[in-house]
Amino acid sequence: MTFARRDHINDPETIPRMPAWVTAARPDTLEDVAFLSGAALAHLHLVLARVDVPHALLRDRLALRAAEACVAFSGRPERAGELRDALHLLRPGDLPGPAGEICLTWRRAVERPVSIKALGRALPSLEPGQIAAWVDAEKGAPVTRAAMVLETGLTEAPRADVPALILADAALAQAIGWDHVVPLLAGSLKRADLRERGEDLRLACHRAVVASAIEAARLAADLARRAAHLKAVAPKLRAKGAGEAVEMFLTRDAVAPLVLPLPDRAARRLCDRLVELGAVRELTGRDTFRLYGV
């Protein structure tokens, strides 16, 4: 009985969907939205506790979504495709540009367990004491705490959207008990929301958490199924270094053949084989300078 239950937990097809009463509701009051955000976070918490979810890959993809939103907040035109290019097609010594830097910042923020040191690595422009003061000072329920951190950051540094949003998500993660930052706020906040304060900002944060938790849970279930398929076809790959390459696909939003632990031609053949097996997708639609991801 114990073994059957464990197999059930590890089956990605058993990941429950967010309840319809959460996804379909359109509440207006702070009280009702706060109730829904709590329900959405509770469901997402259960999803993230599952071992079949590729957690590093999920965080990396959510980081891309958050970066895309922050780039849009800044008025720049780059979207997900351009951000992937800025990160994965850089040559040694090249600079990623302003949009690429935003994407790199979010990726660094989700790579390591939440700590002042890890956040300082992602946000080198902030002093550790300042990070600690922003993240640790606020108490209360998770979303309320995150909203207060966001308000503090935006008030003290009005143009520093990215650090404020990262630290707000860090506060949210700490309040819930997650080991890593899970980007939720930036992807569903509107640019106008960042000008709000007090109760209006809390309302916007609750709404953003509901929308992003729904999307994160859906994405987690999708990636769990895709990761299971990739692991299933891995034994068919005979190239030396294929096992290490598979692990890279399971932890990164996008992978360029040139970073795989194989010679260039073999790496491209491996990627084509994985596409043929339905285990990864080509993400760019180009004939050259291709990127691949689960």
Side-chain angles (χ1 to χ4, degrees), residues 222-234:
D222 180 55
L223 291 178
R225 288 189 291 270
R226 292 178 179 276
H229 180 55
L230 175 56
K231 292 175 183 177
V233 305

Side-chain angles (χ1 to χ4, degrees), residues 83-97 100-101 104 256 258-259:
L83 294 178
R84 282 181 172 133
D85 286 352
L87 290 185
H88 300 290
L89 299 181
L90 284 179
R91 296 179 179 178
D94 286 351
L95 297 176
E101 283 291 351
L104 274 174
L258 61 88
V259 304

